[in-house]
Amino acid sequence: PGHYTATAFLSDAGSGKGVAYGCSVHSAAGGLQLASELRVSGGKAVVAAAVSAPIAKGITAKAKVGTDSMLALSLKHSLSKAVTATFAGCVDLSLDPSKTKAGFHLALSP
């Protein structure tokens, strides 16, 4: 049936928005992971839900959406034991183009 983890956090990441705090609940079963989060920063609360699932051997897809209208997507591919490639993006669903981001990360391990 899987397992559950509950976490509380307090953070000041130097973003200039003050301290963020909240909690998250994480569930995993059969490779599928589900998470929910409540985060408060600058007096504003955000609720988010996320899912992570393997879609093929060595390939994992992730998605996260929150009440802040942000949708984050990523695709991680383990090319070998030493090489991992990740494509990621974040889109503001309220269509603010200044918040849209995309990136590529290549990790090389000895």
Side-chain angles (χ1 to χ4, degrees), residues 1-100:
H3 67 276
Y4 296 90
T5 304
T7 306
F9 61 88
L10 177 65
S11 168
D12 180 4
S15 64
K17 296 180 182 177
V19 175
Y21 60 92
C23 63
S24 63
V25 176
H26 181 264
S27 170
L32 178 68
Q33 298 181 36
L34 302 171
S36 59
E37 177 184 64
L38 169 62
R39 180 177 65 248
V40 178
S41 179
K44 186 176 178 183
V46 175
V47 176
V51 63
S52 173
I55 57 174
K57 185 178 179 184
I59 302 174
T60 303
K62 295 181 181 182
K64 179 179 178 181
V65 66
T67 56
D68 57 355
S69 299
M70 299 301 290
L71 171 65
L73 301 169
S74 73
L75 185 68
K76 183 176 183 179
H77 188 182
S78 295
L79 301 170
S80 70
K81 285 185 176 183
V83 180
T84 302
T86 304
F87 298 93
C90 187
V91 177
D92 183 358
L93 298 176
S94 63
L95 304 177
D96 181 352
S98 68
K99 295 182 180 178
T100 298

